């Protein structure tokens, strides 16, 4: 199911959904550790479904499991 462009979030709006600041989200983009993003020219967007998938993939029961 395709997401319409008007459903996509910019960095400022995506950051609270991830629980970090926009700056942290920008740093994660460079490091490749955050949620998937869409690059449209100079603009960056996040699909809410990708944010939820990233959160689910980073859900752990214990610190040992996270390692």
């Amino acid at each position: 199911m395709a997401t319409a462009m008007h459903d996509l979030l910019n960095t400022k709006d995506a950051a609270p959904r991830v629980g970090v600041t926009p700056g942290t989200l920008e740093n994660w983009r460079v490091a490749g550790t955050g949620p998937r993003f869409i690059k449209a020219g100079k603009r960056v967007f996040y699909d809410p479904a990708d944010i939820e998938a990233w959160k689910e993939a980073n859900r752990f029961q214990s610190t040992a499991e996270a390692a």
Side-chain angles (χ1 to χ4, degrees):
M1 178 180 189
T3 301
M5 284 298 284
H6 67 272
D7 293 332
L8 299 176
L9 305 168
N10 61 28
T11 301
K12 181 183 172 193
D13 294 332
R17 292 191 181 205
V18 178
V20 299
T21 66
T24 297
L25 207 49
E26 291 166 0
N27 291 336
W28 286 357
R29 273 201 310 271
V30 172
T33 57
R36 293 171 53 98
F37 61 93
I38 299 163
K39 185 87 167 159
K42 293 183 178 183
R43 300 178 72 194
V44 173
F45 298 99
Y46 291 88
D47 185 329
D50 288 333
I51 292 172
E52 293 306 313
W54 178 84
K55 286 169 36 178
E56 188 59 36
N58 287 280
R59 184 181 305 257
F60 303 100
Q61 189 70 34
S62 70
T63 56
E65 182 184 357

